[in-house]
Amino acid sequence: MAKAAGRAGMDEAEWATRVDLAACYRLVAHFRMDDLIYNHISARVPGAHGHFLINPYGMAYEEITASSLIKIDLDGNVVDDGGQGYGVNHAGFVIHSAVHRARPEVDCVIHTHTPAGMAVSALECGLLPLSQTAMFFGKVAMHEYEGVVVDLGEQQRLVADLGDSQAMILRNHGLLTVGPSIAEAFTAMYWLERACQAQAMAMACNAPLHLPAPAVVELTNHLYKPTTRRPFGLLEWPALLRLLDRRDDSYRL
């Protein structure tokens, strides 16, 4: 078993966040939502205003460990490179710094390029309430494609489109979810991905689609709110960590 102790001199809250974020990377890979060395997941550093953790650009998701994560500020300056010799994906900095700056209640941001997510991002209709899983989301924001996200000028439009939503479809690009914790952001992405998979499969049948009544969609979404029945995301997280620990607990290093 990997030893879960933090690096010498590191704040315990930051180390706990690093472990959870490394776990999130491993889980995204486990559920086949990664994309070689690309895409990014970030988490705000507890108690450190303006600092967040992100993956080293060049490592696969299944290689990420708590100590390898890079700490940067909202302007993209590296605070701690994890000693791995890697830099940061510029597009990751542009997207994640924009959200962390605009949404102080958001502790985690996840962005993916899955086939199902890209497929739905290319549909004019966006995500439809075809499945119970899709109804988890009260609204899914949309952001128009402007090319590879390297222009800082896009940040304002991106966060304006995101608004106060938990999920956003980046047109012709992929998916993005946010959450007040790593656990909640991951669960949102897992369900958004599953909803996109179900929609892509249903539409591929080339048969009429059945949409539930708007009142039923609204009721279902209400039942999924964390204050209605149970805290989705937080509830599943310990089980997900146990899943990882049974397979490979090196993310804790």
Side-chain angles (χ1 to χ4, degrees):
M1 294 290 289
K3 188 178 179 181
R7 281 170 27 198
M10 182 174 290
D11 178 78
E12 289 184 8
E14 178 179 335
W15 184 254
T17 297
R18 283 175 171 269
V19 171
D20 275 350
L21 183 56
C24 190
Y25 276 100
R26 299 291 187 98
L27 287 166
V28 168
H30 175 77
F31 289 107
R32 303 177 65 85
M33 294 187 286
D34 55 340
D35 186 21
L36 299 179
I37 63 169
Y38 302 100
N39 293 154
H40 7 83
I41 310 169
S42 66
R44 196 184 300 274
V45 177
H49 178 70
H51 291 173
F52 63 94
L53 301 165
I54 199 165
N55 52 314
Y57 191 26
M59 293 182 71
Y61 277 26
E62 66 178 14
E63 298 179 295
I64 299 295
T65 64
S67 59
S68 70
L69 292 160
I70 296 180
K71 185 194 303 185
I72 63 175
D73 65 19
L74 293 176
D75 296 317
N77 300 305
V78 174
V79 179
D80 181 353
D81 68 1
Q84 302 295 312
Y86 291 101
V88 173
N89 185 327
H90 183 69
F93 153 67
V94 172
I95 293 171
H96 293 257
S97 63
V99 178
H100 284 298
R101 192 190 300 272
R103 298 276 299 273
E105 82 284 6
V106 165
D107 276 355
C108 181
V109 182
I110 303 177
H111 172 49
T112 64
H113 292 164
T114 62
M118 290 188 289
V120 172
S121 79
L123 296 173
E124 189 63 36
C125 63
L127 185 68
L128 298 173
L130 291 173
S131 63
Q132 179 173 275
T133 306
M135 295 179 229
F136 173 81
F137 302 95
K139 62 178 178 178
V140 177
M142 305 291 288
H143 177 65
E144 192 59 49
Y145 187 64
E146 300 184 24
V148 177
V149 188
V150 294
D151 181 5
L152 291 176
E154 188 175 349
Q155 289 186 312
Q156 184 176 357
R157 294 182 292 278
L158 189 148
V159 297
D161 289 337
L162 177 62
D164 62 356
S165 297
Q166 184 181 19
M168 182 161 71
I169 292 174
L170 307 176
R171 287 284 194 192
N172 310 101
H173 185 174
L175 306 176
L176 183 141
T177 60
V178 304
S181 69
I182 294 168
E184 289 161 290
F186 173 79
T187 300
M189 180 56 77
Y190 176 85
W191 284 14
L192 182 59
E193 170 64 18
R194 286 299 180 97
C196 287
Q197 290 176 3
Q199 178 170 325
M201 293 171 70
M203 297 183 83
C205 293
N206 196 29
L209 300 174
H210 178 76
L211 291 170
V216 173
V217 174
E218 184 177 353
L219 172 61
T220 304
N221 176 252
H222 170 72
L223 292 173
Y224 276 132
K225 292 188 182 304
T227 54
T228 303
R229 294 187 298 159
R230 54 184 178 268
F232 294 100
L234 300 178
L235 179 69
E236 299 93 336
W237 193 247
L240 291 170
L241 294 184
R242 292 193 299 271
L243 179 152
L244 287 180
D245 288 338
R246 288 192 298 271
R247 286 158 174 77
D248 178 5
D249 63 354
S250 62
Y251 70 94
R252 295 181 177 275
L253 295 174

